[in-house]
Structure formats: C-alpha cells, structure tokens
Amino acid sequence: MKICDVAIIGSGPSGASAAFQLAKKGVKTILIEKEHLPRYKTCGGGFVYRGRKDMPFDVSSAVEREFFDVDIRFDAQELALNTKRKNPIISMIMRDEFDYLIVKKAEELGVEVLQGEKLLAMDFHKDY
C-alpha cells in the first residue's frame, strides 16, 4: 500500500503538470499511468508561444519545428491574415517526448511515477 497526499491518474500534460506544481510545494504526490513511458499519442502537437513561454522549464528538447511566419485563411469570409514574429508563433512537438519531459521534471522534484499500472481501486481512510 502506498500512502501519499495526492494521487494523479494519467501522465498527460495536465496530470504531469499538476504533479510538478504540487511537488514544488512539497506535496507528496504519486502519478499513476497505465502505459509505459514515453508512450505514443495520436493527437496534435501544436504548442503556441504564449503557452510555451509560461512553462516552468525549457521544453525545447521536445520541439520538432518552429514557425515564425503563419498564414491564416478563412475561405468562407474570403479573409486572409499573415503574421510574422521574432518568437515562434507555433512550436510543433511530439506528444510522447513532450509529455515524458514533464513527467521527468516532476520526478526530479520527488514525484513517484507508476508506469504500466491501471488504477482499479483506491481506499480512503479518515485517520491518514
């Protein structure tokens, strides 16, 4: 039996980030993931700059490509916009690398990560 203050189920960006932030505050946290990490995700990997700049650590190791010049087209309204910036507008990431980077940063702060573990039940006790 493991005893912790917080158990987080799932090590995606939200779960891993929550674990990271809790660990920074000294909360004993366990992160439970049913897959083995890093695990492939079939979802998009566009990370906008305003989100990237607010990350509490550098994520450049998970960035595949950056776009500083973007064309946006709305055909129904015959509207086209172009924007260029000195910072990347969108950074393309691979979710397996990005998610695992956050998990590793949480582990560095003391978060225990259980991989390949599917949560079946949890017991809650009033005395601890």
Side-chain angles (χ1 to χ4, degrees):
M1 174 172 59
K2 298 206 178 275
I3 298 175
C4 59
D5 297 319
V6 176
I8 297 173
I9 315 309
S11 67
S14 295
S17 293
F20 177 86
Q21 293 297 333
L22 288 164
K24 275 179 45 177
K25 301 216 180 272
V27 178
K28 185 170 170 54
T29 305
I30 189 167
L31 187 56
I32 303 170
E33 171 58 49
K34 68 181 176 180
E35 304 295 335
H36 290 277
L37 302 173
R39 46 97 176 91
Y40 181 73
K41 289 290 281 185
T42 57
C43 53
F47 196 24
V48 295
Y49 180 72
R50 68 180 176 270
R52 183 177 170 183
K53 73 176 179 55
D54 290 338
M55 290 294 294
F57 45 82
D58 181 27
V59 298
S60 59
S61 65
V63 173
E64 297 280 321
R65 189 167 181 195
E66 296 176 318
F67 294 92
F68 298 83
D69 182 353
V70 175
D71 288 318
I72 304 167
R73 302 196 185 282
F74 301 96
D75 288 337
Q77 298 167 344
E78 296 182 15
L79 180 64
L81 305 167
N82 176 272
T83 186
K84 292 181 184 184
R85 306 265 169 87
K86 66 177 180 135
N87 294 312
I89 298 166
I90 298 173
S91 299
M92 300 308 295
I93 57 168
M94 292 300 294
R95 282 286 307 277
D96 55 346
E97 294 175 31
F98 179 72
D99 295 7
Y100 192 43
L101 173 64
I102 303 170
V103 169
K104 289 189 291 186
K105 293 295 184 179
E107 280 183 304
E108 289 173 10
L109 295 176
V111 171
E112 183 178 356
V113 179
L114 298 181
Q115 299 182 44
E117 300 289 339
K118 187 174 183 179
L119 182 70
L120 300 175
M122 284 177 33
D123 294 323
F124 297 92
H125 300 272
K126 292 182 180 178
D127 54 340
Y128 61 90

PDB file of all heavy atoms in Angstrom, residues 64-94:
ATOM      1  N   GLU A  64      10.035  19.872 -32.337  1.00  0.00           N
ATOM      2  CA  GLU A  64      10.463  19.330 -33.626  1.00  0.00           C
ATOM      3  C   GLU A  64      10.708  20.439 -34.650  1.00  0.00           C
ATOM      4  O   GLU A  64      11.616  20.354 -35.459  1.00  0.00           O
ATOM      5  CB  GLU A  64       9.387  18.381 -34.180  1.00  0.00           C
ATOM      6  CG  GLU A  64       9.136  17.164 -33.323  1.00  0.00           C
ATOM      7  CD  GLU A  64      10.167  16.091 -33.538  1.00  0.00           C
ATOM      8  OE1 GLU A  64      10.576  15.881 -34.692  1.00  0.00           O
ATOM      9  OE2 GLU A  64      10.569  15.473 -32.538  1.00  0.00           O
ATOM     10  N   ARG A  65       9.859  21.458 -34.617  1.00  0.00           N
ATOM     11  CA  ARG A  65       9.937  22.528 -35.610  1.00  0.00           C
ATOM     12  C   ARG A  65       9.238  23.759 -35.056  1.00  0.00           C
ATOM     13  O   ARG A  65       8.271  23.647 -34.307  1.00  0.00           O
ATOM     14  CB  ARG A  65       9.261  22.063 -36.897  1.00  0.00           C
ATOM     15  CG  ARG A  65       9.454  22.977 -38.057  1.00  0.00           C
ATOM     16  CD  ARG A  65       9.027  22.303 -39.336  1.00  0.00           C
ATOM     17  NE  ARG A  65       9.262  23.244 -40.422  1.00  0.00           N
ATOM     18  CZ  ARG A  65       8.759  23.130 -41.617  1.00  0.00           C
ATOM     19  NH1 ARG A  65       7.986  22.108 -41.906  1.00  0.00           N
ATOM     20  NH2 ARG A  65       9.014  24.007 -42.539  1.00  0.00           N
ATOM     21  N   GLU A  66       9.719  24.939 -35.461  1.00  0.00           N
ATOM     22  CA  GLU A  66       9.109  26.191 -35.024  1.00  0.00           C
ATOM     23  C   GLU A  66       8.676  27.001 -36.240  1.00  0.00           C
ATOM     24  O   GLU A  66       9.357  26.995 -37.266  1.00  0.00           O
ATOM     25  CB  GLU A  66      10.102  27.007 -34.197  1.00  0.00           C
ATOM     26  CG  GLU A  66      10.503  26.322 -32.915  1.00  0.00           C
ATOM     27  CD  GLU A  66      11.568  27.088 -32.157  1.00  0.00           C
ATOM     28  OE1 GLU A  66      12.515  27.600 -32.800  1.00  0.00           O
ATOM     29  OE2 GLU A  66      11.460  27.173 -30.932  1.00  0.00           O
ATOM     30  N   PHE A  67       7.570  27.713 -36.091  1.00  0.00           N
ATOM     31  CA  PHE A  67       7.061  28.557 -37.169  1.00  0.00           C
ATOM     32  C   PHE A  67       6.994  30.000 -36.679  1.00  0.00           C
ATOM     33  O   PHE A  67       6.329  30.302 -35.689  1.00  0.00           O
ATOM     34  CB  PHE A  67       5.667  28.083 -37.607  1.00  0.00           C
ATOM     35  CG  PHE A  67       5.692  26.729 -38.239  1.00  0.00           C
ATOM     36  CD1 PHE A  67       5.494  25.590 -37.473  1.00  0.00           C
ATOM     37  CD2 PHE A  67       5.935  26.593 -39.597  1.00  0.00           C
ATOM     38  CE1 PHE A  67       5.536  24.332 -38.052  1.00  0.00           C
ATOM     39  CE2 PHE A  67       5.975  25.334 -40.181  1.00  0.00           C
ATOM     40  CZ  PHE A  67       5.770  24.205 -39.407  1.00  0.00           C
ATOM     41  N   PHE A  68       7.696  30.881 -37.406  1.00  0.00           N
ATOM     42  CA  PHE A  68       7.755  32.298 -37.070  1.00  0.00           C
ATOM     43  C   PHE A  68       6.879  33.125 -38.004  1.00  0.00           C
ATOM     44  O   PHE A  68       6.666  34.308 -37.776  1.00  0.00           O
ATOM     45  CB  PHE A  68       9.203  32.798 -37.162  1.00  0.00           C
ATOM     46  CG  PHE A  68      10.126  32.119 -36.191  1.00  0.00           C
ATOM     47  CD1 PHE A  68      10.699  30.893 -36.479  1.00  0.00           C
ATOM     48  CD2 PHE A  68      10.402  32.714 -34.968  1.00  0.00           C
ATOM     49  CE1 PHE A  68      11.547  30.274 -35.581  1.00  0.00           C
ATOM     50  CE2 PHE A  68      11.253  32.096 -34.061  1.00  0.00           C
ATOM     51  CZ  PHE A  68      11.828  30.876 -34.367  1.00  0.00           C
ATOM     52  N   ASP A  69       6.392  32.507 -39.059  1.00  0.00           N
ATOM     53  CA  ASP A  69       5.591  33.163 -40.093  1.00  0.00           C
ATOM     54  C   ASP A  69       4.390  32.257 -40.367  1.00  0.00           C
ATOM     55  O   ASP A  69       4.564  31.089 -40.728  1.00  0.00           O
ATOM     56  CB  ASP A  69       6.447  33.328 -41.351  1.00  0.00           C
ATOM     57  CG  ASP A  69       5.734  34.034 -42.483  1.00  0.00           C
ATOM     58  OD1 ASP A  69       4.528  34.292 -42.390  1.00  0.00           O
ATOM     59  OD2 ASP A  69       6.415  34.323 -43.486  1.00  0.00           O
ATOM     60  N   VAL A  70       3.187  32.776 -40.165  1.00  0.00           N
ATOM     61  CA  VAL A  70       1.988  31.946 -40.302  1.00  0.00           C
ATOM     62  C   VAL A  70       0.954  32.672 -41.165  1.00  0.00           C
ATOM     63  O   VAL A  70       0.701  33.865 -40.985  1.00  0.00           O
ATOM     64  CB  VAL A  70       1.385  31.633 -38.904  1.00  0.00           C
ATOM     65  CG1 VAL A  70       0.077  30.882 -39.044  1.00  0.00           C
ATOM     66  CG2 VAL A  70       2.366  30.850 -38.065  1.00  0.00           C
ATOM     67  N   ASP A  71       0.381  31.925 -42.116  1.00  0.00           N
ATOM     68  CA  ASP A  71      -0.744  32.410 -42.920  1.00  0.00           C
ATOM     69  C   ASP A  71      -2.015  31.769 -42.389  1.00  0.00           C
ATOM     70  O   ASP A  71      -2.057  30.556 -42.187  1.00  0.00           O
ATOM     71  CB  ASP A  71      -0.584  32.019 -44.393  1.00  0.00           C
ATOM     72  CG  ASP A  71       0.498  32.819 -45.085  1.00  0.00           C
ATOM     73  OD1 ASP A  71       0.572  34.036 -44.845  1.00  0.00           O
ATOM     74  OD2 ASP A  71       1.268  32.213 -45.855  1.00  0.00           O
ATOM     75  N   ILE A  72      -3.031  32.588 -42.206  1.00  0.00           N
ATOM     76  CA  ILE A  72      -4.330  32.096 -41.733  1.00  0.00           C
ATOM     77  C   ILE A  72      -5.366  32.498 -42.771  1.00  0.00           C
ATOM     78  O   ILE A  72      -5.440  33.665 -43.159  1.00  0.00           O
ATOM     79  CB  ILE A  72      -4.687  32.694 -40.354  1.00  0.00           C
ATOM     80  CG1 ILE A  72      -3.572  32.379 -39.354  1.00  0.00           C
ATOM     81  CG2 ILE A  72      -6.042  32.178 -39.876  1.00  0.00           C
ATOM     82  CD1 ILE A  72      -3.660  33.168 -38.072  1.00  0.00           C
ATOM     83  N   ARG A  73      -6.152  31.512 -43.202  1.00  0.00           N
ATOM     84  CA  ARG A  73      -7.159  31.785 -44.235  1.00  0.00           C
ATOM     85  C   ARG A  73      -8.537  31.312 -43.766  1.00  0.00           C
ATOM     86  O   ARG A  73      -8.677  30.223 -43.254  1.00  0.00           O
ATOM     87  CB  ARG A  73      -6.790  31.094 -45.534  1.00  0.00           C
ATOM     88  CG  ARG A  73      -5.429  31.529 -46.035  1.00  0.00           C
ATOM     89  CD  ARG A  73      -5.205  31.162 -47.476  1.00  0.00           C
ATOM     90  NE  ARG A  73      -3.852  31.479 -47.878  1.00  0.00           N
ATOM     91  CZ  ARG A  73      -3.413  32.692 -48.184  1.00  0.00           C
ATOM     92  NH1 ARG A  73      -4.234  33.715 -48.130  1.00  0.00           N
ATOM     93  NH2 ARG A  73      -2.170  32.882 -48.553  1.00  0.00           N
ATOM     94  N   PHE A  74      -9.501  32.185 -43.977  1.00  0.00           N
ATOM     95  CA  PHE A  74     -10.900  31.875 -43.684  1.00  0.00           C
ATOM     96  C   PHE A  74     -11.647  31.984 -45.013  1.00  0.00           C
ATOM     97  O   PHE A  74     -12.121  33.055 -45.393  1.00  0.00           O
ATOM     98  CB  PHE A  74     -11.472  32.861 -42.658  1.00  0.00           C
ATOM     99  CG  PHE A  74     -10.728  32.864 -41.350  1.00  0.00           C
ATOM    100  CD1 PHE A  74      -9.725  33.796 -41.105  1.00  0.00           C
ATOM    101  CD2 PHE A  74     -11.026  31.934 -40.365  1.00  0.00           C
ATOM    102  CE1 PHE A  74      -9.038  33.799 -39.908  1.00  0.00           C
ATOM    103  CE2 PHE A  74     -10.336  31.930 -39.162  1.00  0.00           C
ATOM    104  CZ  PHE A  74      -9.337  32.861 -38.935  1.00  0.00           C
ATOM    105  N   ASP A  75     -11.735  30.878 -45.733  1.00  0.00           N
ATOM    106  CA  ASP A  75     -12.312  30.887 -47.075  1.00  0.00           C
ATOM    107  C   ASP A  75     -13.758  31.355 -47.098  1.00  0.00           C
ATOM    108  O   ASP A  75     -14.170  32.056 -48.012  1.00  0.00           O
ATOM    109  CB  ASP A  75     -12.198  29.507 -47.712  1.00  0.00           C
ATOM    110  CG  ASP A  75     -10.766  29.180 -48.109  1.00  0.00           C
ATOM    111  OD1 ASP A  75      -9.975  30.124 -48.295  1.00  0.00           O
ATOM    112  OD2 ASP A  75     -10.441  27.983 -48.212  1.00  0.00           O
ATOM    113  N   ALA A  76     -14.547  30.965 -46.110  1.00  0.00           N
ATOM    114  CA  ALA A  76     -15.966  31.334 -46.104  1.00  0.00           C
ATOM    115  C   ALA A  76     -16.140  32.847 -46.073  1.00  0.00           C
ATOM    116  O   ALA A  76     -17.107  33.379 -46.604  1.00  0.00           O
ATOM    117  CB  ALA A  76     -16.673  30.694 -44.917  1.00  0.00           C
ATOM    118  N   GLN A  77     -15.189  33.542 -45.476  1.00  0.00           N
ATOM    119  CA  GLN A  77     -15.286  35.006 -45.374  1.00  0.00           C
ATOM    120  C   GLN A  77     -14.282  35.708 -46.288  1.00  0.00           C
ATOM    121  O   GLN A  77     -14.141  36.926 -46.243  1.00  0.00           O
ATOM    122  CB  GLN A  77     -15.056  35.436 -43.928  1.00  0.00           C
ATOM    123  CG  GLN A  77     -16.102  34.874 -42.986  1.00  0.00           C
ATOM    124  CD  GLN A  77     -15.698  35.045 -41.525  1.00  0.00           C
ATOM    125  OE1 GLN A  77     -14.551  35.313 -41.215  1.00  0.00           O
ATOM    126  NE2 GLN A  77     -16.657  34.877 -40.644  1.00  0.00           N
ATOM    127  N   GLU A  78     -13.598  34.909 -47.103  1.00  0.00           N
ATOM    128  CA  GLU A  78     -12.570  35.431 -48.001  1.00  0.00           C
ATOM    129  C   GLU A  78     -11.604  36.355 -47.266  1.00  0.00           C
ATOM    130  O   GLU A  78     -11.264  37.431 -47.723  1.00  0.00           O
ATOM    131  CB  GLU A  78     -13.213  36.141 -49.195  1.00  0.00           C
ATOM    132  CG  GLU A  78     -14.027  35.191 -50.062  1.00  0.00           C
ATOM    133  CD  GLU A  78     -14.622  35.879 -51.274  1.00  0.00           C
ATOM    134  OE1 GLU A  78     -14.204  36.999 -51.611  1.00  0.00           O
ATOM    135  OE2 GLU A  78     -15.522  35.285 -51.882  1.00  0.00           O
ATOM    136  N   LEU A  79     -11.155  35.880 -46.109  1.00  0.00           N
ATOM    137  CA  LEU A  79     -10.257  36.653 -45.260  1.00  0.00           C
ATOM    138  C   LEU A  79      -8.930  35.916 -45.138  1.00  0.00           C
ATOM    139  O   LEU A  79      -8.907  34.695 -44.967  1.00  0.00           O
ATOM    140  CB  LEU A  79     -10.896  36.818 -43.866  1.00  0.00           C
ATOM    141  CG  LEU A  79     -10.138  37.591 -42.827  1.00  0.00           C
ATOM    142  CD1 LEU A  79      -9.967  39.047 -43.247  1.00  0.00           C
ATOM    143  CD2 LEU A  79     -10.872  37.528 -41.499  1.00  0.00           C
ATOM    144  N   ALA A  80      -7.842  36.661 -45.293  1.00  0.00           N
ATOM    145  CA  ALA A  80      -6.508  36.060 -45.152  1.00  0.00           C
ATOM    146  C   ALA A  80      -5.651  36.974 -44.288  1.00  0.00           C
ATOM    147  O   ALA A  80      -5.666  38.190 -44.446  1.00  0.00           O
ATOM    148  CB  ALA A  80      -5.870  35.859 -46.513  1.00  0.00           C
ATOM    149  N   LEU A  81      -4.935  36.361 -43.355  1.00  0.00           N
ATOM    150  CA  LEU A  81      -4.047  37.113 -42.472  1.00  0.00           C
ATOM    151  C   LEU A  81      -2.668  36.481 -42.510  1.00  0.00           C
ATOM    152  O   LEU A  81      -2.537  35.263 -42.633  1.00  0.00           O
ATOM    153  CB  LEU A  81      -4.560  37.080 -41.030  1.00  0.00           C
ATOM    154  CG  LEU A  81      -5.991  37.560 -40.788  1.00  0.00           C
ATOM    155  CD1 LEU A  81      -6.436  37.162 -39.399  1.00  0.00           C
ATOM    156  CD2 LEU A  81      -6.061  39.061 -40.946  1.00  0.00           C
ATOM    157  N   ASN A  82      -1.657  37.295 -42.374  1.00  0.00           N
ATOM    158  CA  ASN A  82      -0.294  36.799 -42.262  1.00  0.00           C
ATOM    159  C   ASN A  82       0.333  37.481 -41.059  1.00  0.00           C
ATOM    160  O   ASN A  82       0.150  38.674 -40.855  1.00  0.00           O
ATOM    161  CB  ASN A  82       0.531  37.113 -43.509  1.00  0.00           C
ATOM    162  CG  ASN A  82       1.974  36.669 -43.328  1.00  0.00           C
ATOM    163  OD1 ASN A  82       2.796  37.419 -42.825  1.00  0.00           O
ATOM    164  ND2 ASN A  82       2.267  35.447 -43.721  1.00  0.00           N
ATOM    165  N   THR A  83       1.052  36.711 -40.277  1.00  0.00           N
ATOM    166  CA  THR A  83       1.746  37.294 -39.136  1.00  0.00           C
ATOM    167  C   THR A  83       3.157  36.731 -39.082  1.00  0.00           C
ATOM    168  O   THR A  83       3.386  35.560 -39.389  1.00  0.00           O
ATOM    169  CB  THR A  83       0.985  37.051 -37.813  1.00  0.00           C
ATOM    170  OG1 THR A  83       1.639  37.755 -36.773  1.00  0.00           O
ATOM    171  CG2 THR A  83       0.884  35.593 -37.469  1.00  0.00           C
ATOM    172  N   LYS A  84       4.095  37.580 -38.722  1.00  0.00           N
ATOM    173  CA  LYS A  84       5.493  37.201 -38.536  1.00  0.00           C
ATOM    174  C   LYS A  84       5.917  37.718 -37.172  1.00  0.00           C
ATOM    175  O   LYS A  84       5.564  38.844 -36.793  1.00  0.00           O
ATOM    176  CB  LYS A  84       6.384  37.826 -39.612  1.00  0.00           C
ATOM    177  CG  LYS A  84       6.143  37.282 -40.989  1.00  0.00           C
ATOM    178  CD  LYS A  84       7.071  37.940 -41.989  1.00  0.00           C
ATOM    179  CE  LYS A  84       6.724  37.423 -43.385  1.00  0.00           C
ATOM    180  NZ  LYS A  84       7.636  37.934 -44.397  1.00  0.00           N
ATOM    181  N   ARG A  85       6.663  36.896 -36.451  1.00  0.00           N
ATOM    182  CA  ARG A  85       7.113  37.268 -35.107  1.00  0.00           C
ATOM    183  C   ARG A  85       8.566  36.890 -34.917  1.00  0.00           C
ATOM    184  O   ARG A  85       9.085  36.003 -35.592  1.00  0.00           O
ATOM    185  CB  ARG A  85       6.276  36.551 -34.038  1.00  0.00           C
ATOM    186  CG  ARG A  85       4.778  36.746 -34.183  1.00  0.00           C
ATOM    187  CD  ARG A  85       4.283  37.873 -33.317  1.00  0.00           C
ATOM    188  NE  ARG A  85       2.920  38.257 -33.605  1.00  0.00           N
ATOM    189  CZ  ARG A  85       1.841  37.722 -33.092  1.00  0.00           C
ATOM    190  NH1 ARG A  85       1.946  36.709 -32.264  1.00  0.00           N
ATOM    191  NH2 ARG A  85       0.649  38.184 -33.401  1.00  0.00           N
ATOM    192  N   LYS A  86       9.215  37.515 -33.943  1.00  0.00           N
ATOM    193  CA  LYS A  86      10.606  37.155 -33.623  1.00  0.00           C
ATOM    194  C   LYS A  86      10.657  35.885 -32.783  1.00  0.00           C
ATOM    195  O   LYS A  86      11.636  35.146 -32.819  1.00  0.00           O
ATOM    196  CB  LYS A  86      11.336  38.295 -32.926  1.00  0.00           C
ATOM    197  CG  LYS A  86      10.807  38.634 -31.560  1.00  0.00           C
ATOM    198  CD  LYS A  86      11.629  39.724 -30.898  1.00  0.00           C
ATOM    199  CE  LYS A  86      11.039  40.004 -29.531  1.00  0.00           C
ATOM    200  NZ  LYS A  86      11.982  40.124 -28.499  1.00  0.00           N
ATOM    201  N   ASN A  87       9.596  35.618 -32.015  1.00  0.00           N
ATOM    202  CA  ASN A  87       9.474  34.373 -31.256  1.00  0.00           C
ATOM    203  C   ASN A  87       8.578  33.422 -32.040  1.00  0.00           C
ATOM    204  O   ASN A  87       7.714  33.861 -32.794  1.00  0.00           O
ATOM    205  CB  ASN A  87       8.865  34.635 -29.878  1.00  0.00           C
ATOM    206  CG  ASN A  87       9.769  35.459 -29.003  1.00  0.00           C
ATOM    207  OD1 ASN A  87      10.952  35.181 -28.892  1.00  0.00           O
ATOM    208  ND2 ASN A  87       9.239  36.495 -28.386  1.00  0.00           N
ATOM    209  N   PRO A  88       8.759  32.115 -31.857  1.00  0.00           N
ATOM    210  CA  PRO A  88       7.929  31.184 -32.632  1.00  0.00           C
ATOM    211  C   PRO A  88       6.445  31.355 -32.298  1.00  0.00           C
ATOM    212  O   PRO A  88       6.068  31.428 -31.130  1.00  0.00           O
ATOM    213  CB  PRO A  88       8.431  29.808 -32.203  1.00  0.00           C
ATOM    214  CG  PRO A  88       9.160  30.027 -30.923  1.00  0.00           C
ATOM    215  CD  PRO A  88       9.657  31.432 -30.935  1.00  0.00           C
ATOM    216  N   ILE A  89       5.623  31.424 -33.318  1.00  0.00           N
ATOM    217  CA  ILE A  89       4.176  31.531 -33.129  1.00  0.00           C
ATOM    218  C   ILE A  89       3.638  30.175 -32.692  1.00  0.00           C
ATOM    219  O   ILE A  89       2.845  30.077 -31.763  1.00  0.00           O
ATOM    220  CB  ILE A  89       3.499  31.997 -34.434  1.00  0.00           C
ATOM    221  CG1 ILE A  89       4.027  33.385 -34.808  1.00  0.00           C
ATOM    222  CG2 ILE A  89       1.976  31.991 -34.287  1.00  0.00           C
ATOM    223  CD1 ILE A  89       3.706  33.808 -36.223  1.00  0.00           C
ATOM    224  N   ILE A  90       4.107  29.143 -33.363  1.00  0.00           N
ATOM    225  CA  ILE A  90       3.710  27.779 -33.040  1.00  0.00           C
ATOM    226  C   ILE A  90       4.960  26.901 -33.036  1.00  0.00           C
ATOM    227  O   ILE A  90       5.782  26.979 -33.949  1.00  0.00           O
ATOM    228  CB  ILE A  90       2.694  27.216 -34.058  1.00  0.00           C
ATOM    229  CG1 ILE A  90       1.413  28.044 -34.039  1.00  0.00           C
ATOM    230  CG2 ILE A  90       2.387  25.750 -33.785  1.00  0.00           C
ATOM    231  CD1 ILE A  90       0.422  27.677 -35.113  1.00  0.00           C
ATOM    232  N   SER A  91       5.087  26.084 -32.022  1.00  0.00           N
ATOM    233  CA  SER A  91       6.151  25.082 -31.948  1.00  0.00           C
ATOM    234  C   SER A  91       5.495  23.719 -32.089  1.00  0.00           C
ATOM    235  O   SER A  91       4.531  23.421 -31.393  1.00  0.00           O
ATOM    236  CB  SER A  91       6.879  25.157 -30.605  1.00  0.00           C
ATOM    237  OG  SER A  91       7.487  26.417 -30.439  1.00  0.00           O
ATOM    238  N   MET A  92       6.008  22.927 -33.007  1.00  0.00           N
ATOM    239  CA  MET A  92       5.477  21.581 -33.208  1.00  0.00           C
ATOM    240  C   MET A  92       6.243  20.626 -32.304  1.00  0.00           C
ATOM    241  O   MET A  92       7.475  20.611 -32.288  1.00  0.00           O
ATOM    242  CB  MET A  92       5.601  21.156 -34.666  1.00  0.00           C
ATOM    243  CG  MET A  92       4.846  22.067 -35.625  1.00  0.00           C
ATOM    244  SD  MET A  92       3.105  22.331 -35.190  1.00  0.00           S
ATOM    245  CE  MET A  92       2.458  20.694 -35.400  1.00  0.00           C
ATOM    246  N   ILE A  93       5.497  19.854 -31.530  1.00  0.00           N
ATOM    247  CA  ILE A  93       6.084  18.900 -30.594  1.00  0.00           C
ATOM    248  C   ILE A  93       5.534  17.509 -30.873  1.00  0.00           C
ATOM    249  O   ILE A  93       4.452  17.365 -31.436  1.00  0.00           O
ATOM    250  CB  ILE A  93       5.771  19.287 -29.127  1.00  0.00           C
ATOM    251  CG1 ILE A  93       4.263  19.392 -28.927  1.00  0.00           C
ATOM    252  CG2 ILE A  93       6.475  20.561 -28.731  1.00  0.00           C
ATOM    253  CD1 ILE A  93       3.825  19.471 -27.494  1.00  0.00           C
ATOM    254  N   MET A  94       6.285  16.516 -30.480  1.00  0.00           N
ATOM    255  CA  MET A  94       5.785  15.144 -30.471  1.00  0.00           C
ATOM    256  C   MET A  94       5.291  14.902 -29.048  1.00  0.00           C
ATOM    257  O   MET A  94       6.026  15.118 -28.080  1.00  0.00           O
ATOM    258  CB  MET A  94       6.880  14.149 -30.840  1.00  0.00           C
ATOM    259  CG  MET A  94       7.319  14.258 -32.288  1.00  0.00           C
ATOM    260  SD  MET A  94       5.985  13.962 -33.473  1.00  0.00           S
ATOM    261  CE  MET A  94       5.647  12.235 -33.176  1.00  0.00           C
TER     262      MET A  94
END
